[in-house]
């Protein structure tokens, strides 16, 4: 919550009738910083975005964009938004859509049009949006959001439904914007998608902020176990389980979990079984496990 | 300055979209064809009167306009708010410095420009053809000009109504249904209900006091009464139109009614759009 933050959210709560969509969330985003908001559908991500845009009024708490109140002229000029699902009028060309939004934002269309080049759809500028692929429409949406070099980019699941190449290029554009000083706050379902492309993540579940920090830190703090799946030789599954402990998952396999530092010991015990073991498979916790750890398990823990 | 430019941008885009959707072409064609058909097939100049083809056609066209213009106006406007909610563009637009009041006003202006163009071209072509074939008098030109101007005002009132319904429904399908319903009630059923009441009442209190006011309160009837009352012909009038000759109000009150519908519609559209959380 430094004064330099372009977006500062302080103890924000938003209610729809009896439902609390966002519950006591505090978050700050500094200029040039890329922050990802992670959560399931209904975790409160879109609600938070809409509050930043001034569409929803907080029940309690405060929210400032560059020191200004959401929805004010200053805030509107500072923030650019790309919703998850946006369908631009099919009959307009890409250049016309961009010109339209440039004028809405008080930016000369001449200055805005090169953004089509930035997002890689300059060739299609004169074509009707109706002929665009999903990826091209999303790039047009991003170009729209980049008009006037905003201080804060709000992107609501911007890469859902994009192919991996488009997705990579999308994040490259974001990285360039962030280097130029734009703060990026985006939401996503998937942690693995944003690995190495984001400075910090914030995990939301049921409207509450469960975890916040750099991805590597969160991953270490989670301390998730390693799963070793051992397939026993014909008829030896009882012997394997007796030696290793763990859990039978079907007629022939046993699953053992251990902490990262106990991995070598577990493998040594496994080696003692010799020909009783037909095959082994080691699964390290991946990023989605980390995400599940914070959004699911901790969420239950917090309620108990 | 930027405020004006962003408002101009919204209106220009609305206009461009209507143009691209062949909407202008379609409605212009409809207006032209109906006007010409009335002039040459319907109650065109009868031998006895021989007076003024333009005036006579203006009289009969005012009846047709009551059906056609509101329909076109509702068709162009019903999608304006609800469609943008559904497509997700309303959130985008409202994230820019554009105010909601500005959005409603400029969308209205864009729609009205489209409808005005269609009416002006359609009735303009028809008027020119009639004047070319039958000649024109000053009175005829005046009647025609009045018809076109008040048709635009009638259209404006229904565009505002369509936008209010669009903001109320928030879904394009529902908005379309509401628009058709509004057209049916205001343009068709209202008159039938009033006529029925008059017949039941048999010249009683209702017919003498409430009936003229109720007729005038309807935007379509106000438009028709205004045009018919100012046309001095012996053209046959029937049904509610007979009231045009015996209206217990000054004729200009019809224009006031239309203006009230327009402002009420715009105010409702604005108020409903303000409540939307995109």
């Amino acid at each position: 919550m430094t004064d330099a933050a372009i977006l500062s959210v302080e103890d924000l709560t938003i209610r729809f009738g009896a439902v609390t969509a966002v519950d006591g969330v505090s978050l700050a985003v500094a200029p040039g910083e890329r922050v990802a908001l992670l959560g399931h559908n209904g975790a409160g991500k879109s609600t938070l975005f809409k509050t930043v845009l001034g569409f929803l009024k907080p029940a309690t708490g405060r929210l400032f964009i560059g020191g200004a109140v959401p929805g004010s002229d200053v805030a509107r000029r500072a923030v650019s938004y790309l919703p998850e699902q946006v369908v631009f009028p099919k009959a307009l060309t890409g250049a016309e859509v961009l010109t339209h939004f440039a004028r809405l934002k008080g930016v000369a269309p001449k200055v805005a049009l090169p953004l089509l080049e930035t997002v890689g759809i300059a060739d299609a500028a004169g074509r009707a949006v109706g002929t665009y692929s999903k990826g091209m429409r999303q790039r047009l949406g991003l170009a729209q959001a980049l008009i006037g070099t905003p201080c804060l980019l709000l992107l609501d699941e911007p890469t859902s439904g994009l192919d991996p190449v488009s997705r990579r290029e999308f994040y490259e554009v974001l990285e360039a914007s962030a280097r130029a000083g734009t703060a990026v706050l985006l939401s996503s379902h998937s942690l693995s998608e944003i690995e190495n492309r984001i400075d910090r993540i914030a995990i939301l579940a049921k409207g509450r902020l469960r975890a916040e920090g750099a991805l590597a830190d969160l991953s270490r703090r989670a301390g998730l176990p390693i799963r070793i799946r051992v397939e026993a030789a014909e008829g030896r599954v009882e012997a394997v389980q007796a030696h290793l402990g763990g859990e039978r998952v079907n007629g022939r396999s046993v699953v053992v979990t251990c902490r990262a530092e106990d991995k070598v010991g577990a493998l040594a015990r496994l080696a003692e079984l010799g020909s009783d073991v037909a095959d082994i498979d080691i699964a390290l916790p991946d990023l989605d496990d980390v995400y599940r750890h914070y959004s699911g398990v901790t969420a239950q823990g917090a309620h108990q | 300055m930027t405020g004006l430019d962003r408002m101009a941008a919204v209106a220009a885009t609305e206009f461009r979209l209507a143009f691209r959707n062949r909407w202008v072409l379609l409605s212009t064609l409809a207006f032209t064809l109906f006007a010409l058909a009335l002039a040459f097939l319907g109650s065109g100049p009868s031998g006895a009167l021989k007076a003024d083809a333009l005036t006579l056609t203006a009289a009969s066209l005012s009846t047709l306009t009551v059906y056609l213009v509101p329909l076109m106006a509702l068709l162009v406007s019903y999608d304006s708010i609800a469609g943008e909610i559904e497509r997700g563009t309303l959130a985008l637009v409202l994230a820019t410095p554009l105010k909601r009041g500005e959005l409603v006003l400029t969308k209205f202006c864009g729609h009205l420009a489209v409808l005005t163009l269609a009416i002006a071209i359609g009735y303009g072509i028809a008027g020119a053809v009639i004047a070319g074939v039958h000649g024109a008098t000053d009175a005829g030109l005046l009647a025609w000009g009045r018809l076109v101007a008040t048709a635009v005002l009638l259209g404006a009132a229904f565009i505002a109504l369509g936008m209010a319904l669009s903001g109320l429904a928030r879904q394009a399908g529902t908005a379309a249904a509401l628009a058709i319903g509004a057209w049916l009630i205001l343009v068709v059923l209202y008159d039938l209900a009033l006529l029925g009441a008059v017949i039941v009442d048999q010249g009683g209190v209702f017919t003498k006091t409430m009936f003229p006011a109720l007729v005038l309160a309807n935007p379509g009837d106000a438009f028709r009464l205004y045009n018919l009352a100012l046309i001095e012909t012996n053209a046959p009038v029937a049904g509610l139109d007979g009231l045009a000759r015996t209206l217990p109000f000054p004729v200009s009150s019809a224009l006031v009614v239309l203006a009230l519908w327009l402002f009420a519609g715009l105010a409702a559209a604005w108020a409903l759009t303000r409540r939307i959380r995109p």
Side-chain angles (χ1 to χ4, degrees):
Chain A
M1 318 304 130
T2 57
D3 287 345
I6 179 67
L7 173 69
S8 72
V9 179
E10 296 163 21
D11 197 24
L12 186 77
T13 299
I14 297 150
R15 294 199 184 90
F16 299 107
V19 180
T20 303
V22 171
D23 192 356
V25 168
S26 294
L27 186 72
V29 184
E33 197 180 21
R34 291 165 300 169
V35 177
L37 212 52
L38 268 99
H40 301 298
N41 291 328
K45 307 186 299 277
S46 296
T47 306
L48 185 58
F49 280 180
K50 285 176 180 181
T51 316
V52 176
L53 290 166
F55 298 157
L56 299 173
K57 293 276 165 274
T60 61
R62 300 191 305 172
L63 197 157
F64 295 105
I65 299 128
V69 184
S72 66
D73 261 5
V74 174
R76 283 170 181 234
R77 274 175 225 288
V79 179
S80 258
Y81 176 52
L82 179 62
E84 182 187 357
Q85 287 292 339
V86 57
V87 185
F88 295 114
K90 290 188 172 65
L92 295 181
T93 68
E96 284 169 343
V97 169
L98 209 62
T99 302
H100 176 74
F101 281 99
R103 291 177 72 186
L104 287 186
K105 295 177 183 195
V107 173
K110 245 188 305 190
V111 181
L113 283 173
L115 287 171
L116 291 174
E117 189 117 23
T118 309
V119 300
I121 52 168
D123 293 346
R127 268 166 49 197
V129 175
T131 67
Y132 281 24
S133 67
K134 159 99 187 170
M136 290 166 77
R137 287 202 301 270
Q138 204 65 4
R139 284 158 189 252
L140 179 59
L142 180 61
Q144 172 279 136
L146 292 173
I147 292 171
T149 34
C151 300
L152 174 64
L153 265 179
L154 280 185
L155 311 170
D156 199 352
E157 294 182 24
T159 57
S160 67
L162 290 191
D163 62 80
V165 175
S166 301
R167 198 172 281 177
R168 202 187 64 226
E169 289 174 1
F170 199 98
Y171 282 107
E172 280 166 6
V173 174
L174 289 190
E175 196 186 334
S177 297
R179 268 202 306 272
T182 296
V184 179
L185 180 62
L186 63 84
S187 68
S188 178
H189 283 304
S190 158
L191 195 50
S192 50
E193 180 194 317
I194 56 173
E195 190 185 9
N196 302 327
R197 290 155 170 168
I198 263 346
D199 303 314
R200 206 150 52 86
I201 61 172
I203 296 175
L204 272 183
K206 294 176 184 158
R208 285 170 169 274
L209 195 62
R210 297 296 175 196
E212 192 201 340
L215 189 49
D217 290 341
L218 288 183
S219 183
R220 203 172 323 116
R221 283 205 323 251
L224 291 177
I226 292 164
R227 290 173 87 243
I228 304 173
R229 184 188 171 106
V230 183
E231 191 180 324
E234 195 77 44
R236 301 295 299 158
V237 64
E238 280 84 4
V240 169
Q241 193 183 10
H243 188 73
L244 292 176
E247 203 180 324
R248 286 268 290 276
V249 287
N250 58 28
R252 288 190 62 183
S253 296
V254 173
V255 169
V256 185
T257 55
C258 67
R259 299 173 63 84
E261 52 269 32
D262 302 334
K263 182 170 62 181
V264 175
L267 287 177
R269 275 208 310 285
L270 200 60
E272 291 160 8
L273 285 163
S275 61
D276 282 351
V277 174
D279 197 6
I280 59 170
D281 180 41
I282 302 175
L284 301 174
D286 65 8
L287 292 170
D288 286 325
D289 290 330
V290 174
Y291 166 48
R292 261 197 300 277
H293 169 76
Y294 283 109
S295 65
V297 180
T298 324
Q300 281 164 13
H303 278 295
Q304 280 159 7
Chain B
M1 195 56 215
T2 51
L4 280 182
D5 189 61
R6 64 181 182 242
M7 288 168 76
V10 176
T13 298
E14 288 296 325
F15 191 78
R16 180 176 282 142
L17 279 173
F19 222 87
R20 297 262 166 89
N21 297 342
R22 311 256 187 287
W23 202 93
V24 179
L25 187 71
L26 184 80
S27 46
T28 305
L29 214 63
F31 287 137
T32 317
L33 286 178
F34 277 109
L36 286 175
L38 273 183
F40 293 103
L41 305 174
S43 59
S46 50
L49 285 161
K50 199 67 190 164
D52 184 353
L54 220 43
T55 308
L56 285 174
T57 313
S60 46
L61 194 54
S62 70
T63 300
L64 186 75
T65 302
V66 168
Y67 292 91
L68 211 52
V69 167
L71 189 65
M72 293 291 185
L74 289 169
L75 282 179
V76 78
S77 63
Y78 81 88
D79 193 51
S80 57
I81 308 290
E84 292 231 20
I85 296 176
E86 281 192 354
R87 290 189 291 273
T89 41
L90 189 69
L92 261 187
V93 166
L94 293 180
T96 73
L98 189 78
K99 306 278 188 297
R100 295 183 187 214
E102 293 174 348
L103 179 75
V104 169
L105 197 64
T106 48
K107 269 182 169 279
F108 169 80
C109 290
H111 296 326
L112 185 60
V114 169
L115 192 70
T116 303
L117 189 72
I119 292 174
I121 294 176
Y123 287 7
I125 291 174
V129 169
I130 296 165
V133 173
H134 297 288
T137 62
D138 284 352
L141 288 174
L142 188 65
W144 201 262
R146 209 157 43 215
L147 175 77
V148 171
T150 48
V152 169
L153 182 58
L154 176 69
F158 273 90
I159 287 172
L161 178 66
M163 290 183 68
L165 294 176
S166 194
L168 179 70
R170 300 179 190 189
Q171 289 177 341
T174 318
L178 286 181
I180 294 297
W183 180 82
L184 211 59
I185 290 171
L186 283 176
V187 174
V188 182
L189 299 178
Y190 191 89
D191 285 8
L192 287 178
L194 280 191
L195 281 179
V198 166
I199 289 167
V200 171
D201 189 48
Q202 297 213 333
V205 183
F206 173 79
T207 311
K208 290 200 184 84
T209 59
M210 291 169 70
F211 175 67
L214 282 174
V215 172
L216 199 67
N218 181 298
D221 291 326
F223 162 84
R224 187 160 48 195
L225 289 180
Y226 179 78
N227 277 282
L228 291 179
L230 289 176
I231 291 174
E232 287 158 14
T233 67
N234 301 319
V237 286
L240 295 185
D241 300 344
L243 195 64
R245 305 274 184 270
T246 57
L247 198 66
F249 309 104
V251 137
S252 55
S253 57
L255 292 182
V256 174
V257 167
L258 283 173
L260 285 178
W261 274 92
L262 169 58
F263 290 125
L266 280 177
W270 179 63
L272 289 165
T273 306
R274 264 165 54 105
R275 282 177 33 204
I276 292 171
R277 296 188 297 205

